[in-house]
Amino acid sequence: MRTRLAIGAAGVLLGLYGAFLFLSRQDPGQWLEVVLWLGAGAVAHDLVLSAILVGVCLAGTRLLPRPWRAPSLVALVVWGSLTVVAVPVLARGGARADNPTLLDRPYVATWWALSAIVVVAVALAGFVRSRRARGGE
């Protein structure tokens, strides 16, 4: 219980720090656009990603062995959320030829690297759970 409270408190503090950064560094004229972007992300998550997630999970319970189900589900949630959040920068929305400093990071390579980390984490977790299910270490 204390661990959960500590994690929750850390999350609240990080959220407050993010709100402070947003309010102190963002041009007030762009606040509405930011709120709309966040709202679109929530709608995309709740309506699109959740529906896909439920469908894939139902299929996964029939196709995947039991030890691989939980890691795959966690990976799907993490990867799906990561992808939904990354769509604007992956699609280079807002990039302008007259300002090369906009979207000047290797977003696609970063997305691939994070996706690979998710896959490796699932493989490790699935392997460990499979060994435990067989009675191994």
Side-chain angles (χ1 to χ4, degrees), residues 29-121:
Q30 295 176 327
W31 288 359
L32 179 61
E33 294 171 3
V34 171
V35 170
L36 289 175
W37 184 82
L38 288 172
V43 168
H45 178 272
D46 292 346
L47 295 181
V48 177
L49 182 62
S50 297
I52 292 171
L53 186 65
V54 168
V56 170
C57 288
L58 288 174
T61 57
R62 298 181 190 272
L63 300 174
L64 292 174
R66 182 177 284 280
W68 289 86
R69 291 177 187 166
S72 299
L73 176 63
V74 170
L76 183 63
V77 170
V78 170
W79 183 79
S81 299
L82 172 75
T83 302
V84 167
V85 169
V87 163
V89 293
L90 293 174
R92 302 195 48 78
R96 295 180 9 202
D98 62 338
N99 188 352
T101 61
L102 291 174
L103 300 173
D104 62 344
R105 304 284 192 263
Y107 298 108
V108 174
T110 304
W111 180 83
W112 277 108
L114 291 173
S115 297
I117 290 170
V118 169
V119 169
V120 169

Side-chain angles (χ1 to χ4, degrees), residues 67-68 124-137:
W68 289 86
L124 289 173
F127 178 74
V128 168
R129 291 172 60 97
S130 293
R131 286 188 53 103
R132 285 184 183 163
R134 287 186 214 146
E137 282 281 313

